[in-house]
């Protein structure tokens, strides 16, 4: 996995954690925060929590899968990204006709 792929995955998981983190247990939140937000290695987390490196890996994988399942069902991140893309499109157009603006606003409401 390239560093760009790791950064993209980290950003994705942190976004999911922002949206759905409260639905995880405190323990699951801790594992994900240590790994993705604090950028600790599996070994560092294992030492901090007094568990095996494999246990840390399993917890991170399980919690990430739970977040992905929530996103698959609720699509909150996808909808948020669509809204941001539309807002960006509105901001970058120099002159927006009234009908076009209303179309954008309607699309935002539908998301």
């Amino acid at each position: 996995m390239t560093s760009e792929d790791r950064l993209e995955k980290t950003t994705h998981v942190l976004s999911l954690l922002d949206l759905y983190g409260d639905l995880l247990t405190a323990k699951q939140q801790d594992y994900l925060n240590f790994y993705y937000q604090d950028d600790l290695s599996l070994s560092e987390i294992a030492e901090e929590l007094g568990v095996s490196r494999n246990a840390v890996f399993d917890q991170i994988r399980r919690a990430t899968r739970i977040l992905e399942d929530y996103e698959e069902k609720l699509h909150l991140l996808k909808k948020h990204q669509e809204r941001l893309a539309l807002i960006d499109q509105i901001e970058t157009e120099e002159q927006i006709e009234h009908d076009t603006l209303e179309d954008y606003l309607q699309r935002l409401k539908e998301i």
Side-chain angles (χ1 to χ4, degrees):
M1 182 180 278
T2 68
S3 61
E4 188 174 302
D5 291 339
R6 277 190 221 116
L7 178 61
E8 188 174 319
K9 179 169 175 79
T10 297
T11 302
H12 179 73
V13 171
L14 287 174
S15 296
L16 292 175
L17 192 56
D18 283 344
L19 290 168
Y20 305 114
D22 290 340
L23 301 173
L24 298 175
T25 66
K27 180 179 166 184
Q28 290 169 327
Q29 290 176 34
D30 288 344
Y31 279 101
L32 291 178
N33 282 321
F34 283 142
Y35 189 70
Y36 288 106
Q37 194 159 7
D38 299 340
D39 199 28
L40 297 180
S41 70
L42 297 177
S43 298
E44 290 171 321
I45 298 168
E47 185 177 321
E48 177 77 24
L49 299 176
V51 297
S52 72
R53 187 180 175 283
N54 194 50
V56 172
F57 176 79
D58 288 343
Q59 286 292 334
I60 290 171
R61 186 180 57 187
R62 188 174 300 121
T64 303
R65 189 175 303 137
I66 290 168
L67 293 175
E68 293 287 356
D69 288 346
Y70 284 131
E71 176 59 17
E72 189 176 309
K73 292 173 184 162
L74 301 173
H75 307 288
L76 295 180
L77 181 58
K78 179 183 174 195
K79 290 175 184 177
H80 176 69
Q81 291 169 335
E82 289 173 358
R83 279 191 298 273
L84 290 177
L86 276 172
I87 291 168
D88 187 48
Q89 192 174 0
I90 292 168
E91 290 176 341
T92 57
E93 290 189 22
E94 290 182 24
Q95 298 243 336
I96 300 177
E97 294 180 19
H98 183 71
D99 290 340
T100 305
L101 182 57
E102 286 195 13
D103 179 52
Y104 285 149
L105 293 173
Q106 183 61 35
R107 288 171 54 194
L108 281 170
K109 289 177 187 176
E110 291 171 3
I111 298 174

